[in-house]
Amino acid sequence: MEPLLSKAASKPRALTHRELVELLTFPDAGALFAAAYEVKVREIGRRVSLRGLIEFANVCEKDCFYCGIRNANGKVDRYMMSADEIVSAAKWSYKAHYGSIVLQSGEISSKSHIALVENVLRRIRDIAGDGFGITLSLGEQSEETYRCWREAGAHRYLLRIETSNPALYATLHPSDHSWERRLECLRSLRRCGYQVGSGIMAGLPGQTVDDLASDIEFFASEDLDMIGMGPYIPHADTPLGHGVRWNTEDKTRRLELGLHMIAATRLYMHDVNIAAATALQALDPEGREKGLLAGANVVMPNATPLVYRRNYRLYPDKPCLGEDPGACRGCLERRINGVGEQILWNERGDSPHWRKKKDGMH
Ligand code: 5AD
Ligand code: FES
């Protein structure tokens, strides 16, 4: 193996910033992905955890310049699933043996929303018990809210930092969106006892490879348990994506960058959960499988009822908009088995990094 790759594979966090940059621009992508995949197999096995993704509301208080469901986008048909609908989607994922779900929505901070989520969590726990993993992805909230949801049965929380560079963050968000507050939220989540996940978008305008290397160092310094990242995909109805034209070559470049980030993160962090983001599949029909072979170990099949699905478009070309949850289940199993990986049915799929910490090995 190439010396830089074997150095990275032999020990977590072994690389300097310069060396991380080298990984991210590594010319032999095949060798890079193979080295990352070897670490993944060693730490986790040829196994993939599933999370049924339930996008239960596209209402959002925020106005991120890149996101299709931003508050100011008047073209979106807004929806909010009822508690019964959310619980039944969760029950579907449980019965489909997914082992865990992610509840995701736009950022909503109202009291009624907080209470709805709490109620839904308790009902899901009553049905599926504590062995069923529940991840939340509901944006920035108060520590009190995070604690309430944790006590109601959520185990994990995803909150992407989007970029570890505060100056770049400021160019992607209105001035009342704060990078510091987001970081504070990640720390609150840790205090509340969640497995904490974060991540970034790769290929943002103005982002450098140095930024991306720093992102990976940020994941390590915040001691994250789970990483979810994907390529940035311009959305025409947003300030950042308006009028942007792009072609197949751009798609390939963005996909490659996303895969390099997964591989470099696996080679740096070794034992964290890394998701093969759906955005990869928006760029390439086999994007998620490629993500698995570059070191990811988590896939999030869409479990949102078909009627709502087309309205939850953070970026264009989102896959599976016409497939109901059952079709996705079969399709995904074939795809995952097709690259020689096995699905961990009925398992929560906790982050090995978190488990080791809990057992006092870190
Ligand atoms: N392209 C790729 N990812 C996006 N997200 C939002 N908009 C886009 C886009 N245009 C990601 C953000 C957010 C997550 C839920 O979706 O990283 O945290
Ligand atoms: Fe949805 Fe393949 S995963 S159709």
Side-chain angles (χ1 to χ4, degrees), residues 288 320 323 328 331-332 335:
R288 286 185 299 190
C320 310
E323 271 75 28
C328 280
C331 167
L332 205 64
R335 286 164 175 272

Side-chain angles (χ1 to χ4, degrees), residues 6-55:
S6 54
K7 180 178 176 188
S10 64
K11 188 160 113 243
R13 307 180 187 203
L15 304 187
T16 63
H17 183 82
R18 278 286 116 230
E19 289 172 326
L20 268 176
V21 169
E22 261 184 73
L23 274 195
L24 290 171
T25 51
F26 205 74
D28 184 352
L32 173 74
F33 301 162
Y37 186 65
E38 214 177 292
V39 171
K40 182 256 174 186
V41 171
R42 190 181 73 211
E43 299 286 331
I44 297 167
R46 289 181 200 275
R47 290 145 196 244
V48 178
S49 297
L50 298 185
R51 299 104 191 47
L53 175 62
I54 304 168
E55 300 154 330

